[in-house]
C-alpha cells in the first residue's frame, strides 16, 4: 500500500533525438506497434501518448478512460499529473524572485521557525532536493493516516509535522534526496509572501496567463469535467480486477508537490512555455538549470530547481499519484514535446515508454 501512495520518484528517461526520422513513413506504424504491445503485455487500462516535433504530430489515446463504464480513452481527458505539479510551484517561486520578494539563497528560517537545519537550508536547496528534509509521504504515520481517512483535507503544517518526526537524511547541500516535504514548504513560503494560496497563485500566474482551459488546482477529491478514471490495486501492480481510486483520496496530501489536474493539450502549452523561458526572466532560467552535483552522471539525469533535464535537452518532470502516472517534457533544441500518461499507478512508470518512443525516432 505504501508504494501506492508514494509520489513517483524521478527516473532517467530520454536520450538524444535525430529529427531525420521524423519524416519516416513507417514511424507512425512503429509507434502504434510499441504502444499496442505495451497495452497488451501490461494490462494498462488506458494511455495517452503525445509526440509533437515541429510540424510532425503523433498523438494517440488507447484503451479505456472508464473500464467499467466501457468509455474509451480520448485525447481530451483530464487526469491527475502528480509531481509535474512541482514545475508549476517552482515556476511561481521564480516569478516571486524576479519580483524581488525573496532570494533563492535566503535561509528557510527567514520565513518559518522550527524547521530542522532551517538556518542552513536555503530556498534553493528545497527546490533542488538537497535540503535533507525527510519525505513525509514515505512515513508509516502518513500511510496509516491516509488509509484510515482518505478524504481528509490535509493542512500543510500536518504534513511537515509528520516529516519532522524523522531525522534528516543528511546535512544540507551534501546530497540529493527526492522529498515532497521540500515542495510543500516552498508552497507555504509562496503563500506567506503573497497572501494568497498556492492554488490562487498558480491559477493567476500560469493557468490564466497561458489560457489553459483544462488545468485545475483542486479544492477537494473531486475531478471536474471529462476525466479519465485512475486505477490501482492493493498489490500496486496492474492486474484485473481494477480498483478505481480516481476520487478515493483527497489530493491535499500532495498539495504544492503533486495535486494539479490537467490534460495533454494544456500540458503541451505549459511545458513548452516553461522550457522556452516564457514565464520568468532569463536569469531565473539560468538559475533553474544549475544542476545539482549529487546525482551520478551515469544516470543520465540532471535535476535543477523543480525540473529535470535529460540528455537531448528535454526539460520537464514525471509524476505519479494514486491512479495515474505520466511524464511530460519538452526540448527547446529539438522543438519536440513528449507526454505519456497511464490511468494506472503501479511499478510500471510512464518514463520507459517515452524513452522507447524517442529511441524509435532515433532509428533504434
Amino acid at each position: 500500500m505504501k508504494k501506492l501512495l508514494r509520489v513517483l520518484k524521478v527516473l532517467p528517461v530520454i536520450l538524444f533525438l535525430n529529427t531525420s526520422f521524423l519524416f519516416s513513413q513507417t514511424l507512425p506504424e512503429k509507434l502504434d506497434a510499441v504502444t499496442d504491445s505495451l497495452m497488451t503485455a501490461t494490462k494498462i487500462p488506458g494511455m495517452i501518448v503525445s509526440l509533437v516535433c515541429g510540424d510532425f504530430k503523433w498523438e494517440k489515446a488507447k484503451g479505456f478512460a472508464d473500464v467499467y463504464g466501457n468509455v474509451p480513452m480520448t485525447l481530451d481527458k483530464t487526469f491527475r499529473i502528480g509531481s509535474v505539479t512541482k514545475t508549476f510551484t517552482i515556476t511561481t517561486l521564480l516569478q516571486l524572485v524576479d519580483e524581488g520578494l525573496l532570494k533563492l539563497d535566503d535561509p528557510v528560517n527567514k520565513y518559518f521557525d522550527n524547521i530542522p537545519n532551517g538556518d542552513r537550508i536555503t530556498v534553493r536547496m528545497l527546490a533542488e532536493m538537497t535540503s535533507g528534509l525527510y519525505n513525509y509521504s514515505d512515513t508509516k504515520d502518513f500511510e496509516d493516516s491516509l488509509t484510515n481517512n482518505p478524504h481528509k483535507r490535509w493542512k500543510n503544517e500536518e504534513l511537515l509535522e509528520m516529516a519532522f518526526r524523522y531525522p534528516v537524511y543528511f546535512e544540507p547541500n551534501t546530497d540529493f534526496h527526492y522529498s515532497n516535504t521540500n515542495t510543500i514548504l516552498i508552497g507555504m513560503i509562496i503563500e506567506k509572501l503573497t497572501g494568497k494560496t498556492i492554488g490562487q497563485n498558480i491559477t493567476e500566474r500560469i493557468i490564466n496567463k497561458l489560457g489553459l482551459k483544462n488545468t485545475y488546482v483542486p479544492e477537494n477529491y473531486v475531478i471536474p469535467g471529462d476525466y479519465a478514471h485512475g486505477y490501482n490495486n492493493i498489490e500496486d501492480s496492474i492486474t484485473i480486477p481494477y480498483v478505481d481510486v480516481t476520487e478515493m483520496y483527497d489530493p491535499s496530501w500532495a498539495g504544492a508537490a503533486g495535486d494539479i489536474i490537467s490534460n495533454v493539450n494544456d500540458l503541451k502549452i505549459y511545458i513548452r512555455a516553461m522550457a522556452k523561458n516564457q514565464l520568468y526572466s532569463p536569469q531565473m532560467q539560468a538559475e533553474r538549470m544549475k544542476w545539482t552535483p549529487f546525482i551520478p552522471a551515469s544516470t543520465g539525469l540532471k535535476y535543477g530547481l523543480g525540473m529535470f533535464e535529460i540528455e537531448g535537452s528535454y526539460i520537464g518532470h514525471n509524476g505519479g499519484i494514486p491512479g495515474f502516472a505520466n511524464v511530460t517534457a519538452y526540448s527547446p533544441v529539438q522543438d519536440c514535446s513528449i507526454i505519456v500518461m497511464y490511468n494506472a499507478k503501479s511499478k510500471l512508470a510512464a518514463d520507459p515508454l517515452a524513452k522507447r518512443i524517442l529511441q524509435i525516432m532515433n532509428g533504434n
Side-chain angles (χ1 to χ4, degrees):
M1 184 65 166
K2 185 173 183 178
K3 292 181 180 178
L4 170 69
L5 304 176
R6 187 178 302 161
V7 171
L8 191 64
K9 299 296 188 290
V10 178
L11 299 172
V13 187
I14 299 169
L15 302 175
F16 181 74
L17 173 64
N18 181 344
T19 55
S20 64
F21 280 86
L22 293 177
F23 304 102
S24 168
Q25 293 181 350
T26 64
L27 179 58
E29 296 176 6
K30 291 178 179 179
L31 297 179
D32 269 315
V34 72
T35 50
D36 288 344
S37 175
L38 187 140
M39 288 282 295
T40 300
T42 63
K43 302 178 183 177
I44 295 171
M47 70 165 62
I48 294 174
V49 183
S50 171
L51 179 64
V52 180
C53 296
D55 294 332
F56 176 86
K57 179 187 291 188
W58 186 84
E59 295 183 306
K60 290 294 180 74
K62 300 190 175 190
F64 292 94
D66 179 355
V67 170
Y68 298 111
N70 201 35
V71 178
M73 185 69 76
T74 55
L75 290 171
D76 58 348
K77 298 294 186 187
T78 58
F79 52 91
R80 300 190 191 276
I81 67 172
S83 287
V84 177
T85 300
K86 290 180 173 68
T87 69
F88 286 78
T89 298
I90 305 306
T91 292
T92 301
L93 174 73
L94 296 177
Q95 291 176 348
L96 298 187
V97 176
D98 272 335
E99 294 166 19
L101 295 184
L102 80 161
K103 297 179 181 178
L104 287 172
D105 294 317
D106 285 345
V108 175
N109 69 357
K110 180 177 179 179
Y111 304 100
F112 292 103
D113 298 325
N114 303 317
I115 306 298
N117 295 327
D119 59 333
R120 293 183 291 137
I121 294 173
T122 65
V123 175
R124 182 191 301 274
M125 293 175 198
L126 296 177
E128 68 180 7
M129 304 292 180
T130 61
S131 73
L133 294 175
Y134 203 90
N135 186 9
Y136 67 85
S137 58
D138 280 349
T139 68
K140 188 176 186 301
D141 313 31
F142 171 75
E143 177 189 350
D144 291 344
S145 296
L146 194 61
T147 300
N148 294 330
N149 190 8
H151 281 173
K152 172 183 169 64
R153 191 70 184 163
W154 290 83
K155 296 179 180 178
N156 290 326
E157 291 78 8
E158 293 174 312
L159 299 173
L160 294 186
E161 192 275 328
M162 279 191 294
F164 299 160
R165 294 175 193 171
Y166 296 81
V168 297
Y169 294 116
F170 45 77
E171 290 299 297
N173 204 36
T174 63
D175 205 346
F176 173 92
H177 196 289
Y178 191 79
S179 174
N180 293 317
T181 305
N182 292 317
T183 319
I184 293 295
L185 192 47
I186 286 176
M188 294 172 66
I189 292 172
I190 291 170
E191 291 182 344
K192 186 170 186 176
L193 291 174
T194 63
K196 298 179 180 180
T197 68
I198 184 63
Q200 289 170 330
N201 273 284
I202 289 173
T203 299
E204 293 172 7
R205 293 171 172 272
I206 302 174
I207 295 173
N208 291 347
K209 181 176 181 178
L210 294 177
L212 306 182
K213 304 300 184 183
N214 295 282
T215 302
Y216 315 94
V217 180
E219 297 182 356
N220 52 43
Y221 59 87
V222 176
I223 296 186
D226 189 12
Y227 58 88
H229 287 243
Y231 299 92
N232 291 84
N233 74 6
I234 58 174
E235 280 80 32
D236 192 23
S237 60
I238 302 172
T239 59
I240 298 173
Y242 302 109
V243 177
D244 191 329
V245 297
T246 313
E247 297 180 340
M248 185 175 290
Y249 306 102
D250 190 297
S252 57
W253 72 265
D259 67 354
I260 288 179
I261 297 163
S262 190
N263 72 356
V264 163
N265 188 60
D266 278 7
L267 287 176
K268 284 188 297 183
I269 295 169
Y270 165 70
I271 201 65
R272 189 176 193 275
M274 189 199 81
K276 290 179 71 69
N277 190 31
Q278 296 172 358
L279 295 169
Y280 39 71
S281 69
Q283 292 78 13
M284 287 302 99
Q285 187 75 330
E287 293 293 333
R288 194 164 199 176
M289 297 179 70
K290 289 182 178 178
W291 313 115
T292 174
F294 303 116
I295 300 177
S298 60
T299 66
L301 171 71
K302 297 177 181 178
Y303 200 87
L305 302 184
M307 72 178 186
F308 63 45
E309 182 188 73
I310 306 300
E311 293 181 44
S313 71
Y314 280 83
I315 294 172
H317 214 286
N318 57 5
I321 195 166
F324 301 94
N326 86 100
V327 59
T328 298
Y330 175 83
S331 168
V333 174
Q334 305 290 348
D335 187 26
C336 293
S337 63
I338 178 77
I339 300 170
V340 176
M341 186 281 286
Y342 303 153
N343 61 336
K345 171 67 168 64
S346 70
K347 296 176 182 177
L348 181 67
D351 306 54
L353 178 58
K355 176 180 178 179
R356 183 63 191 130
I357 286 171
L358 293 188
Q359 287 175 338
I360 291 171
M361 291 187 63
N362 203 30
N364 298 320

